[in-house]
């Protein structure tokens, strides 16, 4: 487990998100860039103390469910999620649910059409118009 790398990654990703990105009100006084630690902890369904220890490089090795919650809370891409798992010393495994992005072959096919197109999975919609 790379504690320092994990701590840095969590901090950078937390600071990159704005409250509106995750459906939270901005509030009047924000002394920190991005989300607050307690906001990330709540979104990831973990205690603020545990998240704080992880971000400070003092926490124990997080479990796979904790990492999955953090990836969801921080709105990580599939590549960022894999990186998070590797920093924690875990094998990434497949992301939950259908892919977040439309495959490149589908995008190329839509681009060749002379009409607007829409790619959709049974459970999640990913729009793409040409």
């Amino acid at each position: 487990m790379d504690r320092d790398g994990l701590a840095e990654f969590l901090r950078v990703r937390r600071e990159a998100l704005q409250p509106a990105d995750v459906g939270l009100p901005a509030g009047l006084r924000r002394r920190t860039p991005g989300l607050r630690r307690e906001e990330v902890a709540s979104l990831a369904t973990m205690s603020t103390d545990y998240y704080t220890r992880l971000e400070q490089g003092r926490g124990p090795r997080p479990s796979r469910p904790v990492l999955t919650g953090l990836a969801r809370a921080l709105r990580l891409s599939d590549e960022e999620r894999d990186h998070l798992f590797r920093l924690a010393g875990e094998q990434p495994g497949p992301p939950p649910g259908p892919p977040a992005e439309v495959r490149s072959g589908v995008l190329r096919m839509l681009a060749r059409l002379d009409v607007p197109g829409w790619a959709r999975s049974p459970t999640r919609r990913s729009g793409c118009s040409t």
Side-chain angles (χ1 to χ4, degrees), residues 8-129:
E8 176 71 8
F9 182 76
L10 292 174
R11 185 186 59 75
V12 167
R13 293 301 304 148
R14 175 178 59 82
E15 290 177 353
L17 282 176
Q18 298 304 310
D21 296 337
V22 295
L24 296 173
L28 298 176
R29 295 173 42 153
R30 296 192 79 81
R31 297 181 312 200
T32 183
L35 295 179
R36 296 180 176 119
R37 287 179 176 153
E38 58 266 19
E39 292 168 335
V40 173
S42 175
L43 291 167
T45 63
M46 64 176 30
S47 75
T48 302
D49 181 60
Y50 183 45
Y51 177 78
T52 300
R53 285 185 283 143
L54 287 175
E55 193 176 292
Q56 292 175 345
R58 304 182 294 118
R61 183 175 175 171
S63 66
R64 293 184 69 80
V66 166
L67 294 170
T68 299
L70 286 169
R72 183 185 61 250
L74 295 171
R75 307 295 195 258
L76 301 182
S77 68
D78 290 345
E79 292 80 21
E80 292 166 330
R81 177 190 169 279
D82 291 352
H83 184 64
L84 173 70
F85 272 70
R86 286 189 194 97
L87 288 171
E90 290 283 341
Q91 284 295 95
E101 292 97 21
V102 177
R103 293 186 316 216
S104 61
V106 174
L107 290 174
R108 284 193 304 272
M109 180 192 69
L110 288 172
R112 293 173 56 174
L113 296 175
D114 290 334
V115 296
W118 183 264
R120 170 183 165 187
S121 76
T123 58
R124 183 189 301 184
R125 295 179 183 172
S126 295
C128 175
S129 60

